Amino acid sequence: MAEGSIETYESEDRVFPPTADFASAALTNDRSMYEEAEADYEAFWARQARELLTWDQDFHTTLEWELPFAQWFIGGKLNMSVNCLDRHVDAGLGDRVAYHWEGEPGDQRTITYTDLLADVERFANVMLSLGLSKGDRVAIYMPMIPELPVAMLACTRIGVVHSVIFGGFSPDAITDRCEDADAKMVITADAGYRRGAPSALKPNVDAALAAGAPSVEHVVVVDRCGTDPEMVEGRDHWWHDVMAEAAPHCPPESMDAEDLLYILYTSGTTAKPKGIMHTTGGYLAQVAFTQKYVFDLKPDSDVWWCGADIGWVTGHSYIVYGPLTLGATQVMYEGTPDTPRQELRSADRSTWDKDRLWDIIERYGVTQLYTAPTAIRTFMRWGAQWPNSHDLSSLRLLGTVGEPINPEAWMWYHEFIGGESCPIVDTWWQTETGANMITPLPGVVPTKPGSATLPIPGVFAEVVDDAGDVVKEGGGYLTLSRPWPGMLRGIWGDPERYHDTYWSTYEGRYFAGDGARRDADGYLWLLGRVDDVMNVSGHRISTSEVESALVDHPAVAEAAVVGAKDEITGQAIVGYVILIGSAELTDSLRSEIRQHVANKLGPTARPKAVFIVPDLPKTRSGKIMRRLLRDVADGQVLGDTTTLADPGVVAEIRDRAAESDEE
Ligand code: WTA
């Protein structure tokens, strides 16, 4: 990063654009939407749903709300794939590019709306011929290739519910998710390219299905990398074979607004991941609204790029459903930002240029970039010089999501990527919220570096204190006080857990799990998770999930996990482990235990450090004091220890922690 380029400032007082205020801003959207939604938020969302979506049948009731269960746009019927594809083709836009896709090696595919619709119809027929029908669940475990959105949209065409499993997850995660949802089919690929080489997927599916999930009858496999995986006769089918045999046309299923669209699993405060349920009409209305007004998407001229993986909610909403509903042209990229195209690679990896992202923005003329603070901080560390060796002048808006962005990273994004002229939308939302919730509408709401600013029109967020009283100015817990269209409709198979997890902490409120501060202007500053969920590079991982994986190792008797501060990834996973009596502490044991977690949960969950300790600090009631362990991990001065059953333990833990080698 260029020395001295980031001045010290009071970020709260600094406003972008410097002259903007609500009254004088150059408006692409004017302030009236806030006023309209404030006056009658149901009418506001009803108008958006009717304006942005194509309905087979209009809804008769906008909202029915019986805490914690909401129904939006009751009586309305629509099909997701029709909204994303058919209506654009019917409007004469079939030749418009939907995806400029680039594989990590540098191979390219240009996919128009006509192409995408043809593939979706065919694959929907494949699923029908393999015995799937409306309401069935299908697991999708794929790399970032065009067949992934095709598979998702094909599900929506016939009313099949998809459950996308992030490609970085391990076989255990696939087994659990397929079992929980009773999935009938898995759609996968042999492998996907990552960091210059194929990263296997199909073998993980084989391992997962060998361990359980007997409900899975069929596996469809895209041949992405030619790695020649084992194919089980009768169960496994090559994508290209079944597609060649499929009929070309598949009429869309007219779905109820409240029919289940997808399940997406997310980490909770207990070890078992929660199957977050999203339905069709409300979800799509809010996703389309935010795509249009938060990201200011102009489908005729823009090239939108969301750098997330479709395995997370960000990719569901802003690589698949949002942009396609509006008829946008996008870039979709398979690999990692530090992997150059094949033709530019030398044998020596250390000499590889880390400019793939800027190269892509320049070559495709990307107009909006949406990425995570972790990525931004990584780019900052790689250096400020090289983005400037590319022409990034096509960019006109930048977005950030996934974790709180520090003002320094915000300013770097603003200066070096945005050329000081692009508005930045810091978008706070969750898997559970379905779409953006707290973020500025560009041109309407002046921004402050590090603040997600204000709730979007029609969303009501309040900070409360321990007692649940509203905090007008100051810190507390972020809550949502009214239902919103994209909200989760529950946890698959567990309505009670839905109520207990989200709606029981503060009376009448959805508690988001995040801490937040509200400043004098009413701006919200996200402070990170206050529950037992860690946020590592924008990925939610629960402490208890990792703890279960740790105690699953034969040498581990007890374990506690905390998220320690990390400059790049936001938080890093640190495990404290008590060994069973007979276990011998060797140098390799620590890394073996870390690897064990990666095997169980996938590489994102691998602890950065594992400390072997004689005991864990517990309260008199036996609750592990994670705050203390976090302080130890952060290397901070320890707090008050008087409620500890054995205060001596902390000092010992700290000493041991200091001795342990952190990798
Ligand atoms: C965090 C990702 C601060 C937050 C879309 C939330 C953020 C969790 C922001 C949801 C942001 C997301 N500023 N924190 N702009 N966006 N978060 O479900 O802790 O993977 O609760 O959804 O990410 O993570 P999830």
Side-chain angles (χ1 to χ4, degrees):
M1 197 171 76
E3 274 298 324
S5 63
I6 311 289
E7 51 197 288
T8 323
Y9 53 89
E10 279 294 321
S11 55
E12 244 185 61
D13 298 338
R14 186 143 165 177
V15 174
F16 290 86
T19 55
D21 63 37
F22 289 139
S24 69
L27 307 181
T28 45
N29 322 287
D30 61 54
R31 181 87 188 124
S32 62
M33 280 203 290
Y34 288 91
E35 285 150 15
E36 179 191 347
E38 193 68 45
D40 185 346
Y41 77 113
E42 289 188 32
F44 168 77
W45 282 119
R47 179 169 79 83
Q48 295 304 333
R50 289 196 175 103
E51 275 183 23
L52 294 167
L53 309 183
T54 299
W55 297 82
D56 302 337
Q57 185 182 300
D58 194 16
F59 48 92
H60 54 70
T61 306
T62 301
L63 170 65
E64 221 151 79
W65 174 227
E66 234 172 274
L67 191 142
F69 297 102
Q71 293 184 71
W72 284 86
F73 312 130
I74 302 168
K77 285 191 170 291
L78 75 172
N79 180 275
M80 176 61 94
S81 69
V82 168
N83 273 275
C84 290
L85 304 171
D86 304 58
R87 64 169 177 165
H88 307 313
V89 175
D90 292 348
L93 301 173
D95 291 340
R96 181 178 287 173
V97 175
Y99 291 108
H100 289 290
W101 177 81
E102 184 159 308
E104 197 187 71
D107 45 338
Q108 300 178 349
R109 284 168 66 185
T110 306
I111 296 153
T112 65
Y113 275 86
T114 299
D115 299 336
L116 197 55
L117 176 58
D119 280 357
V120 166
E121 291 199 71
R122 262 183 202 281
F123 196 69
N125 281 329
V126 168
M127 289 197 286
L128 290 174
S129 67
L130 290 173
L132 288 156
S133 57
K134 185 176 166 180
D136 284 342
R137 275 83 53 208
V138 160
I140 301 179
Y141 181 70
M142 287 174 95
M144 285 286 287
I145 54 176
E147 288 82 355
L148 171 50
V150 168
M152 294 164 75
L153 289 158
C155 288
T156 73
R157 190 142 192 105
I158 56 172
V160 161
V161 175
H162 61 68
S163 158
V164 179
I165 302 169
F166 173 55
F169 282 154
S170 63
D172 278 358
I174 305 171
T175 314
D176 290 351
R177 285 157 173 76
C178 285
E179 285 185 350
D180 188 72
D182 255 324
K184 275 200 176 171
M185 183 197 255
V186 178
I187 307 165
T188 187
D190 65 325
Y193 287 102
R194 269 201 102 61
R195 301 189 191 287
S199 163
L201 294 169
K202 174 63 165 55
N204 291 349
V205 173
D206 291 337
L209 298 184
S215 58
V216 174
E217 292 163 13
H218 295 285
V219 179
V220 177
V221 188
V222 176
D223 189 9
R224 163 66 183 135
C225 303
T227 57
D228 198 19
E230 216 173 283
M231 296 291 278
V232 177
E233 181 78 34
R235 187 196 71 181
D236 300 351
H237 316 269
W238 284 112
W239 174 286
H240 51 265
D241 289 342
V242 286
M243 283 293 265
E245 286 161 21
H249 291 298
C250 177
E253 187 83 40
S254 194
M255 303 295 286
D256 201 272
E258 281 296 336
D259 273 337
L260 191 55
L261 175 68
Y262 68 75
I263 303 173
L264 184 58
Y265 287 84
T266 191
S267 294
T269 47
T270 60
K272 192 172 175 285
K274 301 180 296 239
I276 302 301
M277 298 196 292
H278 282 292
T279 57
T280 310
Y283 170 79
L284 190 56
Q286 193 175 337
V287 167
F289 173 80
T290 49
Q291 185 74 60
K292 178 167 172 152
Y293 293 105
V294 174
F295 298 126
D296 188 26
L297 191 98
K298 309 238 185 302
D300 297 342
S301 50
D302 281 342
V303 179
W304 162 255
W305 188 15
C306 165
D309 191 291
I310 295 177
W312 310 108
V313 75
T314 308
H316 281 60
S317 298
Y318 299 115
I319 300 177
V320 184
Y321 298 122
L324 294 179
T325 301
L326 296 195
T329 295
Q330 306 184 58
V331 165
M332 177 174 169
Y333 170 59
E334 178 185 30
T336 54
D338 55 349
T339 308
R341 284 176 278 157
Q342 189 83 53
E343 64 197 82
L344 303 175
R345 290 177 206 163
S346 59
D348 178 4
R349 222 199 128 99
S350 66
T351 64
W352 286 8
D353 276 344
K354 297 181 166 74
D355 66 344
R356 187 66 177 273
L357 250 57
W358 323 117
D359 175 43
I360 288 177
I361 290 171
E362 182 174 24
R363 277 187 291 118
Y364 295 96
V366 170
T367 47
Q368 289 107 327
L369 175 69
Y370 190 33
T371 188
T374 294
I376 297 164
R377 288 190 292 265
T378 304
F379 303 145
M380 284 171 74
R381 195 169 65 168
W382 286 348
Q385 308 80 345
W386 46 262
N388 298 333
S389 67
H390 289 275
D391 178 3
L392 304 183
S393 60
S394 58
L395 286 171
R396 62 177 193 84
L397 180 137
L398 302 173
T400 158
V401 63
E403 11 155 9
I405 185 166
N406 46 318
E408 292 69 28
W410 197 104
M411 287 303 295
W412 187 87
Y413 204 27
H414 173 73
E415 287 180 23
F416 290 101
I417 307 308
E420 299 194 354
S421 64
C422 297
I424 294 186
V425 289
D426 176 357
T427 61
W428 178 90
W429 59 296
Q430 306 177 302
T431 305
E432 293 87 340
T433 71
N436 297 164
M437 298 290 281
I438 302 173
T439 186
L441 296 192
V444 181
V445 176
T447 51
K448 302 182 186 188
S451 168
T453 71
L454 308 172
I456 60 168
V459 163
F460 300 84
E462 284 174 335
V463 175
V464 301
D465 62 17
D466 281 315
D469 294 327
V470 174
V471 175
K472 284 275 171 238
E473 197 183 332
Y477 307 100
L478 181 67
T479 67
L480 301 165
S481 56
R482 292 188 201 174
W484 62 100
M487 69 189 273
L488 76 165
R489 298 304 196 262
I491 297 172
W492 174 261
D494 205 342
E496 245 162 74
R497 190 174 173 205
Y498 168 56
H499 173 266
D500 295 349
T501 308
Y502 299 108
W503 298 92
S504 66
T505 316
Y506 303 104
E507 177 84 40
R509 293 171 184 277
Y510 170 92
F511 171 51
D514 288 328
R517 190 166 53 79
R518 194 173 189 271
D519 72 17
D521 295 327
Y523 275 46
L524 294 163
W525 300 74
L526 275 304
L527 304 172
R529 306 283 308 185
V530 295
D531 53 15
D532 293 333
V533 176
M534 299 169 287
N535 189 325
V536 183
S537 303
H539 299 163
R540 283 163 66 178
I541 301 166
S542 77
T543 52
S544 47
E545 224 175 333
V546 180
E547 282 164 7
S548 308
L550 284 170
V551 295
D552 185 71
H553 187 281
V556 175
E558 231 188 302
V561 165
V562 295
K565 280 198 199 102
D566 188 280
E567 251 184 49
I568 302 290
T569 59
Q571 285 192 309
I573 302 174
V574 174
Y576 295 86
V577 157
I578 304 175
L579 297 180
I580 59 162
S582 58
E584 207 183 309
L585 175 57
T586 62
D587 269 352
S588 63
L589 184 63
R590 249 191 297 270
S591 55
E592 195 190 290
I593 292 173
R594 292 171 58 234
Q595 185 54 39
H596 186 75
V597 176
N599 293 346
K600 300 257 351 153
L601 302 175
T604 23
R606 182 202 308 270
K608 186 168 185 194
V610 163
F611 299 131
I612 311 293
V613 293
D615 205 349
L616 292 168
K618 290 186 182 149
T619 61
R620 279 177 239 273
S621 63
K623 224 178 144 199
I624 292 171
M625 299 183 71
R626 287 215 175 69
R627 180 180 51 80
L628 265 175
L629 293 174
R630 215 174 290 134
D631 288 348
V632 174
D634 289 343
Q636 287 172 350
V637 183
L638 295 176
D640 181 19
T641 59
T642 48
T643 53
L644 271 179
D646 175 10
V649 168
V650 177
E652 198 160 355
I653 284 176
R654 193 186 32 200
D655 295 346
R656 293 265 191 132
E659 285 166 15
S660 304
D661 54 325
E662 192 174 321
E663 283 156 70

